[in-house]
Amino acid sequence: MMKSLLKTLVLLFAITPLSYGQVQSNLQLIDIFNMEFVSDPQISPDGSKVIYVRNFKDVMTDQNHSNLWIVNFDGSNNRPLTTGNQNDFYPRWSHDGKKIIFKSNMADEKMKLYMMWMDTKEIVPLTNTSKTPEAVSWSYDDKFVAFNMFVPKKQGSIVKMPEKPEGAKWNTPPTYITDMNYRGDGQGYLESGNMQLFTLPIEGGTPRQLTFTEFDHDAPIWSIDNQHLYFSANYHKEEELTPLDDEIYQLAVNDGSIKALTKRYGPDFDPVLSPNGKKIAYLGFDDKHKGYQIKRLNVMDIDGNNSILISKGFDRDIQNIAWASDGKGLYFQYDDKGDTKLAFISLSGKVSVITENLGGLSLGRPYNAASFSLSNNNRFAFTLGGTNHPADLGVSDSKKSRRLTALNDDLFSFRNLANVEEIWWESSYDQRKIQGWVVTPPNFDPSKKYPMILEIHGGPFASYGSVYSFELQAFAAAGYVVLYANPRGSSGYGEEFGNLIHHDYPNHDYDDLMSGVDAVIKKGFVDEKNLFVTGGSGGGVLTAWIVGKTNRFKAAVVAKPVINWYSFVLYADAPSFFSKYWFPNKPWEDPTNYLKRSPLSYVGNVKTPTMLLTGEEDFRTPIAESEQFYAALKLENVETAMVRIPGASHGIANRPSNLIAKIASILAWFEKYKNENEGEVGM
């Protein structure tokens, strides 16, 4: 009897974990509300602690939220600094490491600048202004902060309305606009005014305005003696027509006098002071009106003399520069062939990689996006990315890198994720090497045939990489193989590769993508009768171009596209940029160039069922572009539909449910046209 009882107990304990464990299943669209990611990690000056922004979502209010967390450099003592369904972000340490400033809407949903004492965790608001400070920096004595903040100005109108009778209900008076840039994507119609510079004592009070120009001022930094601020701005008279001509300026805090330190034609920006306060590093380039121009690193004396190009031989965009503590070089991040790296560059221009796999900040699609910060003893905190997780917190001391968080392991413990593998192929146009990634469904069986989605990135001067994408994971969870790639024009492959599409987009990037589709088909697990294509923004342009060039795809979803370049450059939110850098002439000076590169010109060739999908408040690629293509397809009797996302700008996923709506719409359209023979062995 005892043996029987023992046997029963053994069996009971053996099956208990299986009985109570969660069953593995594929990713669900609702899972977006359970996903978290790290952003903006800020390491303390002594390198002992890291404060990071922990981003999460509220399924009941459909909102994105964030709190501040702090953890020791060795990964111990990970805990929150702030809590609640609010937005806490932009933490910045004081130089002595005893305080931080941050932004939050914790009180009355009004965004303010706050300060926290790190010993007691007491919090006090520093501002109560109608506008929110943007970029904030501490003075070296930690007694002041400097920031730029929008200052409205009244827009005069020549339209004079007569006085309405008492009690009359008239419409709102007409809006009188004279600015070229009168609306911005994600901002709506812009209020008249400019970004001005301010200082504020940490005891609080009224911010002191230092600039009063009709130009915008970028992030300020302090001189070591706390007597000057350095910043970039475009003070040129025709700044609306020359959008890339910023200079570095010095401002005297005591009297507000301003001196230009750079003077070339082209943007100079992001000044960073050397540890001894004698030099300024900054980014920029000589503007040649090309679509893709490498951001290069320069160093000059504090007075603007002896400017030297440090990164002359480095053919990648330099981002997020920070001086080494000994002043002998700078740390920076850069994108290279789909991977974001943290590197060091000496003052002689020698580059060495510190660590790789930064990223994970683009939760929807697999764009390369990352950030890092540096301590006084050359320790680093950074966003750590990967194809199997959004951004977590990583740290490094130049010798060893470690992952400190795994924010989504709870969700992924019971969700099957798709596998992502890198692939290279040659373009049929000129045999250039093209990089891409193949996403295969959970429980993938290479002996079966799967439908495939070609998903195309926007930009077009941007890059996808080896990072997590909820959107592509959702496609794979629905049973699709997904191909995403970096065709010519993508960043991270050098200036020459990026400018292969200069004044020639879209064109041979089409050949790059079709060659990629062929390369995946050759692997034997793709059903050639079930090919689909989609992309957003620049990817929407290419998707619309593709269906005008080939009928090989069963269906297409064209998201937030440009269909008609002639109308786009005059209707988007940056007309002076698009007309000057993406085309050799204005539309009326050379309409042929605009028309031959417009997908609308090839609408007569389209046979592919095509859905249009755009946010109704998109001012980057306005919904009128989608409406034009929709009407044209209807006139051509092509099966089409239009999906409008209410309240959404170009970044459709400003609310979590918008991302769900986008993915659900794409999958519904593809399922509508998918053949039923998918999944069978052989064909």
Side-chain angles (χ1 to χ4, degrees):
M1 185 173 179
M2 182 59 71
K3 288 185 177 179
S4 177
L5 177 59
L6 288 173
K7 186 176 180 180
T8 302
L9 289 172
V10 169
L11 289 172
L12 175 63
F13 285 113
I15 65 173
T16 296
L18 296 177
S19 301
Y20 286 91
Q22 290 178 291
V23 177
Q24 291 285 130
S25 59
N26 289 354
L27 202 67
Q28 306 294 314
L29 292 184
I30 196 70
D31 288 335
I32 188 65
F33 284 102
N34 296 317
M35 288 194 177
E36 301 179 75
F37 67 95
V38 168
S39 64
D40 198 14
Q42 294 293 315
I43 194 166
S44 61
D46 65 2
S48 65
K49 295 177 174 62
V50 179
I51 296 174
Y52 62 95
V53 180
R54 186 165 177 166
N55 300 271
F56 62 99
K57 305 172 190 301
D58 182 3
V59 70
M60 300 307 295
T61 61
D62 193 20
Q63 296 293 323
N64 296 301
H65 295 302
S66 60
N67 294 145
L68 302 183
W69 283 61
I70 189 168
V71 62
N72 290 335
F73 185 80
D74 63 7
S76 64
N77 210 28
N78 187 28
R79 59 183 58 185
L81 285 175
T82 63
T83 59
N85 281 0
Q86 58 206 37
N87 293 95
D88 310 315
F89 61 103
Y90 198 84
R92 294 296 183 272
W93 292 89
S94 60
H95 291 88
D96 62 12
K98 296 180 179 180
K99 299 174 288 292
I100 64 167
I101 55 96
F102 65 98
K103 301 178 191 180
S104 177
N105 61 352
M106 65 174 67
D108 304 323
E109 296 188 355
K110 182 178 181 181
M111 193 63 67
K112 298 179 182 179
L113 182 67
Y114 287 84
M115 185 172 68
M116 176 189 291
W117 283 267
M118 297 309 296
D119 55 353
T120 64
K121 306 302 184 290
E122 291 175 295
I123 298 174
V124 61
L126 293 181
T127 62
N128 192 29
T129 51
S130 59
K131 303 297 181 181
T132 306
E134 291 291 323
V136 188
S137 66
W138 287 90
S139 62
Y140 279 80
D141 60 9
D142 290 331
K143 294 181 178 180
F144 290 84
V145 291
F147 54 85
N148 56 341
M149 183 172 67
F150 184 78
V151 176
K153 67 178 180 182
K154 188 174 182 180
Q155 176 68 54
S157 175
I158 63 173
V159 180
K160 306 300 180 184
M161 297 289 290
E163 186 176 348
K164 63 183 179 181
E166 184 177 352
K169 296 181 179 180
W170 290 10
N171 190 22
T172 302
T175 302
Y176 181 71
I177 296 172
T178 59
D179 294 328
M180 174 179 287
N181 301 316
Y182 61 92
R183 61 183 183 178
D185 185 65
Q187 304 170 77
Y189 283 81
L190 302 176
E191 186 178 6
S192 293
N194 296 98
M195 298 292 294
Q196 306 289 359
L197 299 184
F198 295 81
T199 58
L200 178 68
I202 61 170
E203 289 85 1
T206 302
R208 176 192 171 198
Q209 186 172 342
L210 298 179
T211 60
F212 300 85
T213 75
E214 294 185 355
F215 305 100
D216 292 326
H217 302 73
D218 290 332
I221 62 168
W222 292 84
S223 61
I224 284 185
D225 62 8
N226 306 308
Q227 298 302 307
H228 296 89
L229 297 178
Y230 300 93
F231 63 94
S232 64
N234 187 346
Y235 277 178
H236 298 93
K237 187 176 181 180
E238 300 297 324
E239 53 94 16
E240 283 193 329
L241 297 174
T242 56
L244 299 184
D245 199 14
D246 295 58
E247 310 292 355
I248 306 292
Y249 292 92
Q250 178 192 71
L251 180 149
V253 175
N254 62 341
D255 62 8
S257 59
I258 295 175
K259 172 188 175 183
L261 301 182
T262 61
K263 58 183 179 181
R264 67 171 163 186
Y265 180 67
D268 293 314
F269 55 96
D270 287 356
V272 180
L273 198 67
S274 65
N276 63 9
K278 295 181 179 181
K279 293 186 179 296
I280 294 176
Y282 62 98
L283 300 178
F285 53 83
D286 294 306
D287 189 1
K288 299 178 181 177
H289 293 173
K290 289 188 175 181
Y292 182 54
Q293 302 182 87
I294 292 288
K295 301 178 185 67
R296 305 189 186 278
L297 175 63
N298 306 266
V299 173
M300 64 181 172
D301 293 340
I302 199 71
D303 59 3
N305 292 323
N306 301 316
S307 177
I308 300 174
L309 174 59
I310 300 300
S311 63
K312 184 177 181 180
F314 188 69
D315 193 23
R316 295 291 185 271
D317 278 303
I318 288 184
Q319 309 168 56
N320 193 12
I321 56 177
W323 282 91
S325 57
D326 60 8
K328 294 183 178 180
L330 294 102
Y331 295 96
F332 67 98
Q333 68 185 61
Y334 69 100
D335 297 333
D336 178 55
K337 299 175 183 176
D339 182 36
T340 303
K341 305 176 189 292
L342 173 61
F344 174 80
I345 183 169
S346 68
L347 295 183
S348 63
K350 183 179 179 181
V351 175
S352 54
V353 174
I354 304 299
T355 190
E356 302 179 339
N357 302 318
L358 278 68
L361 294 180
S362 179
L363 192 59
R365 294 196 283 165
Y367 283 108
N368 290 123
S371 67
F372 82 93
S373 63
L374 173 69
S375 70
N376 292 335
N377 54 356
N378 295 337
R379 285 181 169 183
F380 310 92
F382 55 91
T383 53
L384 178 64
T387 58
N388 59 350
H389 66 90
D392 274 303
L393 178 62
V395 295
S396 176
D397 57 6
S398 298
K399 297 178 182 178
K400 181 181 179 181
S401 298
R402 300 189 307 280
R403 177 181 176 180
L404 298 190
T405 65
L407 299 187
N408 295 285
D409 276 8
D410 55 342
L411 173 64
F412 294 155
S413 68
F414 59 91
R415 291 295 193 226
N416 293 316
L417 290 182
N419 186 54
V420 182
E421 290 188 2
E422 183 181 327
I423 180 176
W424 288 80
W425 63 86
E426 291 185 354
S427 172
S428 62
Y429 174 67
D430 56 7
Q431 287 70 56
R432 284 182 182 268
K433 295 286 187 178
I434 305 297
Q435 185 183 25
W437 291 262
V438 179
V439 187
T440 49
N443 304 312
F444 173 69
D445 182 349
S447 68
K448 293 184 177 180
K449 297 283 187 177
Y450 293 84
M452 187 177 84
I453 297 173
L454 169 64
E455 207 283 334
I456 310 169
H457 75 64
F461 305 106
S463 65
Y464 276 166
S466 300
V467 292
Y468 182 84
S469 164
F470 179 79
E471 188 168 330
L472 304 193
Q473 286 284 338
F475 292 160
Y480 292 84
V481 167
V482 184
L483 169 65
Y484 66 96
N486 286 332
R488 66 191 61 215
S490 300
S491 56
Y493 302 85
E495 194 162 22
E496 188 264 348
F497 186 86
N499 278 309
L500 288 174
I501 64 169
H502 180 59
H503 295 171
D504 193 29
Y505 163 75
N507 195 355
H508 297 300
D509 30 14
Y510 165 85
D511 301 296
D512 300 344
L513 294 169
M514 293 306 100
S515 298
V517 171
D518 293 337
V520 180
I521 289 174
K522 287 180 181 178
K523 290 180 175 293
F525 50 74
V526 169
D527 178 2
E528 292 188 63
K529 296 182 179 179
N530 272 317
L531 301 179
F532 302 88
V533 60
T534 186
S537 193
V541 176
L542 276 165
T543 303
W545 184 266
I546 285 169
V547 296
K549 295 289 184 178
T550 180
N551 297 324
R552 72 185 301 188
F553 294 95
K554 290 286 293 183
V557 176
V558 177
K560 48 188 180 183
V562 175
I563 298 302
N564 181 348
W565 289 111
Y566 201 116
S567 60
F568 166 77
V569 299
L570 304 177
Y571 197 44
D573 60 352
S576 62
F577 175 82
F578 292 120
S579 62
K580 179 174 289 188
Y581 292 88
W582 286 14
F583 289 89
N585 303 102
K586 300 181 184 73
W588 48 91
E589 295 171 343
D590 184 13
T592 302
N593 192 284
Y594 284 79
L595 290 173
K596 75 177 183 180
R597 291 164 55 186
S598 294
L600 186 63
S601 297
Y602 307 95
V603 70
N605 300 333
V606 178
K607 306 297 180 186
T608 307
T610 301
M611 172 187 282
L612 284 303
L613 187 153
T614 304
E616 290 190 330
E617 296 181 11
D618 188 332
F619 291 148
R620 180 62 44 78
T621 54
I623 198 168
E625 292 293 313
S626 294
E627 291 168 338
Q628 288 182 70
F629 206 49
Y630 177 77
L633 291 170
K634 283 291 187 183
L635 290 173
E636 288 296 308
N637 201 31
V638 177
E639 293 179 77
T640 185
M642 178 163 52
V643 174
R644 306 167 68 98
I645 309 295
S649 61
H650 194 65
I652 285 177
N654 59 340
R655 303 186 72 169
S657 67
N658 287 351
L659 180 57
I660 293 176
K662 178 189 177 187
I663 298 170
S665 299
I666 293 171
L667 288 174
W669 189 251
F670 290 168
E671 289 295 312
K672 176 179 170 68
Y673 293 99
K674 187 173 68 174
N675 288 338
E676 293 303 320
N677 60 1
E678 56 89 14
E680 296 179 1
V681 178
M683 289 298 295

